Amino acid sequence: MPDTSPPQRSSLALRRVRLLQGLDPDCLAELAQQCRWHRLEARQTLVTEAARANDVFFVLSGRVRIASYDAVRGREVTLQDCGMGAHFGTLAALDGGPRAADVVALEPTLLASLEAAQFVALLHREPLVAQRIVRFLTAAVRQLAGRVVELSTLAVQSRLHSELLRLAQEAGVRDNAAHIAPAPLHAELASRIGTSREQVTRELSALVRRGLLRREGRRALVVADVAGLQALLL
């Protein structure tokens, strides 16, 4: 079980959370007292799929992975990685249903959690937070629709190209190149695009041979020609 001792029970930590930015200091101080606080070690599980807990979690430091599993083969399917400033658990808090995925820390992580009733009260009390939740859920639906289209219509190669382009954009494209560090492991990429680690390894090697991708050290990738990679999707 995660450590729920209060390591940093203060509004200063909550200011890191994008959803809560701009709130009155008194409101943040009240939330800090309402929250439970959690320390996780790397690879420690926070919640599991189908769990009935419905707290909303705020990531104050570190990073967690939200993932589900193929019911037939048990293959992990990564839904999202959440770093400092992110929040998760909104759906269970709003509809009272079970968790839709597992949540595991990827590195030492500090979180704060707010019970569902307190979170809903916050939405009623703070229109700014409610508006951000609406935008967050809208963006999530759009992203999910795009992923469904990709999985339904694109071959493995194209799904990998699309994921690499997403990572390149997140890392920042400069002079038609992007430095991705740390780069996801091959198994992590496979879980994101619905294929095997071996297939990802073969396709990455093919991109390296074409000069579109370059490995740097143990955990970095350079997309050497972003436009060329984009052209493969056309």
Side-chain angles (χ1 to χ4, degrees):
M1 293 293 292
D3 179 4
T4 57
S5 61
Q8 295 184 21
R9 188 180 290 273
S10 76
S11 59
L12 292 177
L14 293 181
R15 290 180 186 177
R16 305 171 191 170
V17 180
R18 292 185 290 275
L19 182 65
L20 305 178
Q21 287 176 353
L23 292 184
D24 183 89
D26 289 340
C27 177
L28 287 175
E30 181 182 352
L31 287 176
Q33 295 305 311
Q34 291 175 342
C35 283
R36 288 193 289 263
W37 301 74
H38 314 264
R39 292 186 195 271
L40 297 180
E41 300 300 327
R43 309 312 303 173
Q44 186 175 358
T45 298
L46 177 67
V47 296
T48 57
E49 190 170 350
R52 300 303 304 188
N54 54 11
D55 289 7
V56 173
F57 290 87
F58 309 117
V59 185
L60 307 180
S61 66
R63 194 162 55 105
V64 301
R65 170 158 297 161
I66 302 173
S68 190
Y69 294 87
D70 181 330
V72 177
R73 289 169 290 183
R75 179 189 296 166
E76 181 182 284
V77 179
T78 298
L79 303 177
Q80 185 182 10
D81 288 353
C82 295
M84 185 179 72
H87 71 279
F88 60 90
T90 309
L91 293 182
L94 292 178
D95 70 5
R99 298 290 184 188
D102 289 5
V103 180
V104 178
L106 297 176
E107 57 190 67
T109 299
L110 174 66
L111 306 108
S113 66
L114 194 62
E115 291 182 357
Q118 294 170 324
F119 179 71
V120 172
L122 175 66
L123 298 184
H124 285 292
R125 189 170 66 247
E126 299 289 343
L128 178 61
V129 178
Q131 291 169 13
R132 287 172 176 167
I133 285 295
V134 170
R135 290 197 295 269
F136 169 79
L137 293 176
T138 301
V141 170
R142 290 184 182 276
Q143 182 183 49
L144 178 60
R147 288 298 182 99
V148 169
V149 170
E150 286 183 4
L151 289 171
S152 302
T153 63
L154 298 182
V156 170
Q157 296 92 330
S158 295
R159 298 205 299 272
L160 179 59
H161 301 161
S162 182
E163 183 63 27
L164 289 173
L165 286 169
R166 268 194 289 270
L167 291 170
Q169 292 297 330
E170 291 175 4
V173 178
R174 298 175 183 82
D175 298 324
N176 195 37
H179 186 267
I180 303 169
L185 298 173
H186 293 191
E188 293 173 352
L189 282 171
S191 74
R192 295 184 188 185
I193 65 174
T195 188
S196 66
R197 179 183 58 80
E198 293 77 13
Q199 183 71 28
V200 166
T201 299
R202 285 194 294 269
E203 297 304 329
L204 290 177
S205 296
L207 292 173
V208 170
R209 289 194 297 271
R210 297 181 66 165
L212 298 176
L213 197 67
R214 185 172 70 251
R215 297 184 178 91
E216 282 193 356
R218 296 183 59 187
R219 289 299 307 275
L221 285 175
V222 175
V223 180
D225 184 356
V226 173
L229 185 59
Q230 178 71 56
L232 296 180
L233 290 174
L234 301 179

